[in-house]
Amino acid sequence: MYFPDYRPRRLRKNENFRRLIRETTLAADDFMYPLFVVPGKGVKKPIASMPGNFQMSVDHIVREAKTAREAGIPAVLLFGIPDRKDELATGAFARDGIVQRAVRELKHKVPDILVVTDVCLCEYTSHGHCGMIEKGEVDNDSTLEVLAETAVSHARAGADMVAPSAMMDGQVGAIRAGLDEAGFEGTPIMAYSAKYASCFYGPFRDAAESAPQFGDRKAYQMDPANGDEAIREITLDVEEGADIIMVKPALAYLDVIRRAREEFDLPIAAYNVSGEFAMIKAAAQLGWLDGRRAMLEVLTSIKRAGADIIITYFALEAARALAE
Ligand code: PBG
């Protein structure tokens, strides 16, 4: 098997050989496209740190979802930015909340794309934390009820799947129980299981206007230094009823994706987060990287690591590039 008998270059000689032995291929089928919905009409406001992404009112969200569907993308992931925020995150579970309205309109006008909703409170709380504040801290158990109520309100509006991202202990179980009780036992949960306290969420917090007003998220999101703990977190979510498990961010955590792939038998999503997107866009704008190739290379690496689903702001661009 060793040189000079085995010469790996023989099978790299031309594109046809390379195609034949390629282990990983990307397709539009792999992508989930995050969208930011805001109140109003005719709003399409560029997000400075995420070129090509916008805060959009429901009418534009509908158009964008149609475009995504036409490009072959199976699902969008919705984030809402409400009119008003308060201590109790009431906008998160309001019947006519921004996400609930967007879901109803999407399921009505673009029925054949999956609408997945992010279930978190940080966009809806005045303090910007992902849960209820008690004695200056994010309180776990009182947050669970609010998360469950939010998930049920999304399902009532017609969401195809809910995706809890608050990193509260027990959130998947609480949401599963809430959904089942409300008659949504058929609605799956995509759990942000191993979600790290990452600086790569920076651009997202501008987009979603969800930066914490005091402190940080380190008391509920994971320490970037921990890999074994990710396995414990995922195990809990699987036991609580997760249908899809997620690792987030993706690029600095490819080892975690690979371990999850080896240890769990559920579909795995990886979130190629805002900062990972912004880095490539910025370098491409400076002429320091070939943006198109960098995009396809990192998306391929996430799939190679073991992800079945890639949540990415590149979704539309990559789907189009793959169709060329
Ligand atoms: C909500 C949430 C965040 C992201 C997804 N859901 C932000 C955060 O935890 O601060 C980040 C996504 C991205 O950076 O693209 N909690």
Side-chain angles (χ1 to χ4, degrees):
M1 191 54 181
Y2 294 103
F3 179 80
D5 295 331
Y6 183 62
R7 292 174 179 269
R9 288 185 52 187
R10 285 181 193 133
L11 297 180
R12 275 177 217 148
K13 232 184 309 211
N14 61 45
E15 182 58 13
N16 282 330
F17 273 123
R18 292 191 291 271
R19 281 171 57 202
L20 277 177
I21 67 158
R22 186 158 292 144
E23 298 173 30
T24 311
T25 44
L26 278 179
D29 294 345
D30 304 326
F31 304 141
M32 191 179 281
Y33 186 26
L35 297 174
F36 300 97
V37 59
V38 292
K41 244 193 133 190
V43 183
K44 189 170 178 183
K45 192 174 156 213
I47 301 162
S49 52
M50 298 169 68
N53 286 262
F54 302 85
Q55 292 182 334
M56 287 179 273
S57 49
V58 174
D59 50 328
H60 279 287
I61 289 279
V62 165
R63 258 188 250 173
E64 192 71 4
K66 272 188 193 151
T67 308
R69 190 203 51 199
E70 280 155 21
I73 296 166
V76 296
L77 175 61
L78 274 190
F79 293 92
I81 298 117
D83 258 336
R84 264 177 293 117
K85 302 174 190 260
D86 58 34
E87 289 275 301
L88 300 176
T90 50
F93 49 86
R95 209 196 89 82
D96 64 344
I98 183 66
V99 164
Q100 291 79 355
R101 274 187 279 142
V103 172
R104 276 196 291 272
E105 198 66 10
L106 279 169
K107 287 322 294 181
H108 178 61
K109 300 229 168 97
V110 206
D112 49 356
I113 194 159
L114 293 176
V115 178
V116 185
T117 56
D118 185 82
V119 177
C120 196
L121 307 181
C122 57
E123 295 99 333
Y124 304 92
T125 50
S126 41
H127 45 72
H129 276 290
C130 303
M132 300 293 109
I133 302 291
E134 269 168 42
K135 299 193 194 100
E137 280 179 22
V138 177
D139 184 66
N140 195 85
D141 294 11
S142 55
T143 302
L144 295 180
E145 290 161 41
V146 187
L147 290 172
E149 193 173 344
T150 301
V152 170
S153 76
H154 291 174
R156 273 207 184 101
D160 295 292
M161 178 156 73
V162 294
S165 69
M167 285 303 276
M168 295 299 124
D169 295 339
Q171 63 181 13
V172 172
I175 288 172
R176 185 69 273 158
L179 288 171
D180 290 358
E181 217 168 282
F184 296 105
E185 61 284 330
T187 303
I189 299 175
M190 176 171 76
Y192 286 70
S193 304
K195 176 174 175 183
Y196 288 88
S198 170
C199 77
F200 291 104
Y201 307 151
F204 172 95
R205 290 179 189 171
D206 296 337
E209 300 171 10
S210 67
Q213 300 303 301
F214 66 89
D216 53 39
R217 304 209 203 288
K218 288 181 189 160
Y220 43 105
Q221 298 180 349
M222 283 182 59
D223 183 337
N226 295 355
D228 296 342
E229 191 190 354
I231 302 304
R232 292 201 292 280
E233 277 281 7
I234 298 171
T235 303
L236 282 171
D237 283 0
V238 172
E239 287 169 0
E240 289 174 33
D243 298 279
I244 297 174
I245 53 183
M246 193 200 299
V247 175
K248 174 185 175 193
L251 288 183
Y253 301 86
L254 292 175
D255 58 321
V256 180
I257 299 174
R258 170 48 41 187
R259 284 183 67 178
R261 171 77 297 150
E262 281 163 10
E263 302 203 26
F264 298 93
D265 200 19
L266 287 179
I268 296 175
Y271 203 139
N272 176 220
V273 301
S274 57
E276 301 174 335
F277 173 83
M279 283 195 297
I280 290 180
K281 286 290 176 192
Q285 274 178 14
L286 286 166
W288 291 356
L289 272 183
D290 177 335
R292 184 180 182 280
R293 288 189 56 195
M295 163 182 80
L296 293 174
E297 188 170 328
V298 301
L299 294 173
T300 302
S301 77
I302 295 167
K303 190 161 179 197
R304 189 195 65 232
D308 302 292
I309 300 164
I310 306 172
I311 304 165
T312 179
Y313 304 99
F314 284 121
L316 199 51
E317 212 180 322
R320 285 175 175 155
L322 293 169
E324 272 168 21

